[in-house]
Amino acid sequence: MRYQNRPSGLVRLDRNESPFDIPAEVKEEAVRAMLEREWNRYPDAEGEGLRQDIADSLGLGMGNVVVGNGSDDLLPEVITMFRRIYVYEPTFEMYRFFAEKHGVQYVPVWLSPEFRFPEPPETGSGDLLVVCRPNNPTGTEAEEDIVLSALERGTNVLLDEAYWDFSGHTMVEKVSDYPNLMVLRTFSKAFSMAGVRVGYLVASEETASRVLGRRAPFPVNVLSECVARAMLRHRDLVRKTVDYIVAERERMEQRLGELCVRSTTNFFLVKGDMRERLAERGILVRKLSGRLSEMSRVTVGERRENDAFLEAYLELVSGAGGRLAGP
Amino acid sequence: MRYQNRPSGLVRLDRNESPFDIPAEVKEEAVRAMLEREWNRYPDAEGEGLRQDIADSLGLGMGNVVVGNGSDDLLPEVITMFRRIYVYEPTFEMYRFFAEKHGVQYVPVWLSPEFRFPEPPETGSGDLLVVCRPNNPTGTEAEEDIVLSALERGTNVLLDEAYWDFSGHTMVEKVSDYPNLMVLRTFSKAFSMAGVRVGYLVASEETASRVLGRRAPFPVNVLSECVARAMLRHRDLVRKTVDYIVAERERMEQRLGELCVRSTTNFFLVKGDMRERLAERGILVRKLSGRLSEMSRVTVGERRENDAFLEAYLELVSGAGGRLAGP
């Protein structure tokens, strides 16, 4: 899977990034920490300092946390521990990418036409159920009961909580109760750190230790580590970003009405394959494929960016006389 | 494979790092570049800017270069393209680690008792020959003719040039002649960037493109990218580091005589399993296993560190009455 580079000067609503860069004073705090480190020496072998800070933020132990060069670095580690993965579809395309790359059988479990989550499938010991919650790109969310029923049956579950900050729904505390639960998280979205590449996995100590045993050392460089640790000290900023994004999303959803799918994240689906026509107007949204080929994914940006999108999109829609496919 | 964390205040000659941190003014140059970037946006999908700078430094094209989160990030990409790897042993242990992890057959090709390289084995199309040149941890080097004869026969070769700056011997320009050659390099050694985690693979455009197609996007974060690009502008520093290290290594080898194995790198083997006894004196060297269990690997450090090692080691050796095993 290849991303295209993005020309600058555009309204960039195509990658589910935060529209807000880290404030200068927090960058400077991170830089001061960087300059106190030896860049010529290997980092902590398994990112112990960062793991401890993340664990503290969750009320868990360092032994429950594994860190990676973005959550994409941890995904294949988890997927390749199984022979087959069941994945609620449509969803984040990297699950399929890594499964196919590593010869792990990939079984889609289709959402309803309204993108609701069906009951989990029956699984065996070599199987993993992947639940992206809330789900990318539909913006809808599996009920907690669905995940719990899978866990209760003994199904191995990878819960991708990349966007949980926006929904406010997490099951991370359940790793203490369920050794068959792994929760994947990222600093790329609500933490405004897509360029810094830090992600982490939370699991029971036994499961985390099993994942660690499969990892090469030094997953997170000293610079990114300093940024992640600084941002963990400034979670008030994350809260502000999330509040802003959620308010903007609600405003946009209200304006769009039936043209969009209600979301619990920092993005939503709209009717129509609008990528090309919006790009002509300098607005980038995400093109989708398969069952979503007649829809587009729009990341919530800053207010002026959102307004630019709304104006252009609604004009295109009215020009199309409402002939847009949808969910 | 797990590294132990290293208490500070010790003489650290155990990880083949550069003893010299990046100078403050170059760190500041890198930091200025970082602060001009958007940390909330994903980096170049495949590290295009960095790939171009590396390619320029080699007189090759961007299409010949793939970048990674340290060279350890690229190793499994290459290894898993093959069914079986032949590896000159004893060598860097991560080749075996990744082969076993991914179910690739691992076949050692043993060096002579003096750590010389035998002729390459016969191989088939699903096979890869791995040559660490110069070789870690023996410090000895495969003759160029050995690598060339493998390449001429059509053998797929991964040449790990992590330490080439110290020997001055590279075959990187041969990727234009041999599509079956891949050269792996790192910024962790001569470039003083072990903590920053950047490595790269050089190959023919066709081979590099095949590797790229298997990679997840965003391998190198924006911060590490800025450091690597700054250091590529300051290769005079690398030259100074290398000259210092080589002069120190020669001084140490002369002093140690028959107690060490002559090396072309920034480390060398000495007789005796000295890890524990030197650690008691605050000096860390690398413990080895298998056929090298009666030897230790010593990284060349700063002069005062090297003197501390020499004094402690020679005292321990004379205490042992010369009863030390060796090559």
Side-chain angles (χ1 to χ4, degrees):
Chain A
M1 80 143 296
R2 307 261 69 90
Y3 283 84
Q4 293 304 309
N5 274 331
R6 197 169 32 194
S8 57
L10 297 174
V11 173
R12 299 176 292 180
L13 307 180
D14 59 336
R15 293 203 198 180
N16 293 351
E17 298 156 332
S18 167
F20 302 113
D21 201 351
I22 295 173
E25 60 271 24
V26 179
K27 284 189 173 180
E28 278 157 26
E29 180 183 327
V31 164
R32 279 196 300 277
M34 291 176 202
L35 293 175
E36 281 169 16
R37 301 285 291 266
E38 295 175 295
W39 299 8
N40 58 320
R41 301 288 178 185
Y42 283 100
D44 292 345
E46 293 162 3
E48 285 79 355
L50 176 57
R51 287 169 63 208
Q52 186 63 59
D53 283 2
I54 292 168
D56 289 347
S57 79
L58 299 171
L60 293 167
M62 186 176 85
N64 297 111
V65 179
V66 184
V67 292
N69 180 39
S71 57
D72 281 4
D73 179 36
L74 294 161
L75 259 181
E77 299 292 355
V78 173
I79 287 174
T80 56
M81 285 162 56
F82 299 91
R83 283 191 301 276
R84 177 166 51 188
I85 63 173
Y86 288 90
V87 183
Y88 283 113
E89 279 262 19
T91 193
F92 183 44
E93 59 201 337
M94 295 305 286
Y95 309 134
R96 185 189 285 270
F97 174 87
F98 286 122
E100 290 179 350
K101 177 174 176 179
H102 294 289
V104 174
Q105 193 190 344
Y106 184 94
V107 184
V109 180
W110 292 99
L111 302 188
S112 77
E114 298 77 30
F115 307 130
R116 298 293 143 203
F117 284 71
E119 286 300 313
E122 296 288 337
T123 56
S125 66
D127 298 335
L128 173 74
L129 175 66
V130 178
V131 186
C132 184
R133 183 174 189 263
N135 187 44
N136 174 17
T138 64
T140 57
E141 192 165 319
E143 296 290 332
E144 183 165 315
D145 278 353
I146 284 180
V147 181
L148 282 176
S149 81
L151 290 171
E152 283 294 333
R153 271 198 239 152
T155 293
N156 299 299
V157 175
L158 175 64
L159 197 62
D160 185 344
E161 293 195 341
Y163 300 97
W164 88 271
D165 303 81
F166 303 102
S167 73
H169 302 153
T170 177
M171 295 179 70
V172 76
E173 79 288 351
K174 303 262 187 248
V175 300
S176 310
D177 305 327
Y178 297 101
N180 49 332
L181 172 63
M182 290 170 278
V183 178
L184 192 62
R185 287 186 165 187
T186 178
F187 282 87
S188 295
K189 309 300 177 184
F191 279 73
S192 294
M193 281 171 51
V196 182
R197 318 298 300 125
V198 183
Y200 59 100
L201 186 77
V202 187
S204 70
E205 284 198 23
E206 189 190 328
T207 306
S209 155
R210 196 171 148 221
V211 175
L212 272 176
R214 298 162 50 80
R215 300 273 291 159
F218 321 124
V220 179
N221 70 86
V222 296
L223 315 173
S224 297
E225 182 196 323
C226 290
V227 182
R229 297 177 81 172
M231 282 301 287
L232 285 169
R233 292 190 293 271
H234 290 282
R235 273 178 290 166
D236 52 315
L237 289 172
V238 177
R239 192 70 258 154
K240 265 175 71 178
T241 298
V242 167
D243 289 348
Y244 179 101
I245 295 294
V246 169
E248 277 294 293
R249 188 194 68 223
E250 288 172 353
R251 182 177 73 89
M252 295 171 84
E253 285 173 341
Q254 194 157 13
R255 183 82 183 281
L256 292 164
E258 296 291 305
L259 292 166
C260 75
V261 179
R262 295 271 160 155
S263 161
T264 62
T265 65
N266 67 335
F267 59 84
F268 51 81
L269 294 180
V270 293
K271 292 184 183 178
D273 172 8
M274 311 301 270
R275 164 90 193 174
E276 292 307 319
R277 280 171 289 174
L278 286 167
E280 287 165 9
R281 293 158 186 242
I283 298 165
L284 300 186
V285 301
R286 184 66 179 273
K287 187 174 172 60
L288 301 169
S289 58
R291 298 193 182 192
L292 298 179
S293 60
E294 292 304 317
M295 307 197 78
S296 305
R297 194 193 67 190
V298 182
T299 305
V300 179
E302 284 190 77
R303 187 172 182 112
R304 61 169 180 83
E305 299 174 316
N306 301 335
D307 284 340
F309 161 77
L310 285 170
E311 188 183 346
Y313 174 76
L314 289 170
E315 191 185 312
L316 287 167
V317 169
S318 82
R323 293 186 309 276
L324 290 172
Chain B
M1 80 141 296
R2 307 262 67 91
Y3 282 84
Q4 293 302 309
N5 274 330
R6 194 168 36 191
S8 58
L10 298 173
V11 173
R12 300 177 292 179
L13 307 178
D14 59 337
R15 292 204 199 179
N16 292 353
E17 298 156 331
S18 166
F20 302 113
D21 201 350
I22 294 172
E25 60 272 24
V26 179
K27 284 188 173 181
E28 278 158 27
E29 180 182 328
V31 164
R32 278 195 301 277
M34 290 177 204
L35 293 175
E36 281 168 18
R37 299 288 289 267
E38 295 176 294
W39 297 10
N40 56 320
R41 302 288 178 185
Y42 284 99
D44 291 345
E46 293 162 3
E48 285 79 354
L50 176 57
R51 287 168 62 207
Q52 186 63 60
D53 283 2
I54 292 168
D56 289 347
S57 80
L58 299 171
L60 292 167
M62 187 176 85
N64 296 112
V65 179
V66 184
V67 292
N69 181 38
S71 58
D72 280 3
D73 179 36
L74 294 161
L75 259 182
E77 299 292 354
V78 174
I79 287 174
T80 55
M81 284 162 56
F82 299 91
R83 284 191 300 274
R84 177 165 52 189
I85 63 173
Y86 288 90
V87 182
Y88 283 113
E89 280 259 21
T91 192
F92 184 43
E93 58 202 337
M94 296 305 286
Y95 310 134
R96 185 188 285 270
F97 174 86
F98 286 121
E100 290 180 350
K101 176 175 177 180
H102 294 289
V104 174
Q105 192 189 345
Y106 184 96
V107 185
V109 180
W110 292 100
L111 302 188
S112 77
E114 298 78 29
F115 307 130
R116 298 293 143 203
F117 284 70
E119 287 300 312
E122 296 287 337
T123 57
S125 67
D127 298 336
L128 174 74
L129 174 66
V130 179
V131 186
C132 183
R133 180 173 190 264
N135 187 45
N136 174 18
T138 63
T140 56
E141 193 165 319
E143 296 290 333
E144 182 165 317
D145 279 351
I146 284 180
V147 182
L148 282 177
S149 81
L151 289 171
E152 283 293 333
R153 270 199 240 154
T155 292
N156 299 299
V157 175
L158 175 65
L159 196 63
D160 185 345
E161 293 195 342
Y163 300 96
W164 87 271
D165 303 82
F166 303 102
S167 73
H169 301 153
T170 177
M171 295 178 71
V172 77
E173 79 287 350
K174 303 262 187 245
V175 299
S176 310
D177 305 326
Y178 297 100
N180 48 332
L181 172 64
M182 290 170 278
V183 178
L184 191 64
R185 286 185 167 188
T186 180
F187 283 87
S188 295
K189 309 300 178 186
F191 278 73
S192 294
M193 281 172 50
V196 182
R197 317 298 300 124
V198 183
Y200 59 100
L201 186 75
V202 187
S204 70
E205 283 198 22
E206 188 191 328
T207 305
S209 157
R210 195 169 148 222
V211 175
L212 271 177
R214 299 163 48 82
R215 299 274 291 160
F218 320 124
V220 178
N221 71 85
V222 296
L223 315 173
S224 297
E225 181 196 324
C226 290
V227 181
R229 298 176 80 172
M231 283 301 287
L232 285 169
R233 292 189 294 269
H234 291 281
R235 274 176 291 166
D236 51 316
L237 288 173
V238 176
R239 190 71 259 153
K240 265 175 71 177
T241 297
V242 167
D243 288 347
Y244 180 102
I245 295 294
V246 169
E248 276 296 290
R249 187 194 69 222
E250 288 171 352
R251 182 178 74 90
M252 295 171 85
E253 286 173 340
Q254 193 156 15
R255 182 83 182 282
L256 291 165
E258 296 292 303
L259 291 166
C260 74
V261 179
R262 295 274 160 152
S263 161
T264 63
T265 66
N266 68 334
F267 58 84
F268 51 80
L269 293 179
V270 294
K271 293 185 184 178
D273 172 9
M274 311 302 270
R275 163 91 193 174
E276 291 308 318
R277 280 171 289 176
L278 285 167
E280 287 165 9
R281 292 157 187 244
I283 298 165
L284 300 186
V285 300
R286 185 67 178 273
K287 185 172 174 63
L288 301 168
S289 58
R291 297 194 183 190
L292 299 178
S293 59
E294 292 304 316
M295 307 197 78
S296 306
R297 193 194 67 190
V298 183
T299 305
V300 179
E302 284 190 76
R303 189 175 181 107
R304 62 171 177 81
E305 298 173 317
N306 301 335
D307 284 340
F309 161 78
L310 286 169
E311 187 183 346
Y313 174 76
L314 290 170
E315 190 185 312
L316 286 167
V317 170
S318 82
R323 290 186 310 278
L324 290 172

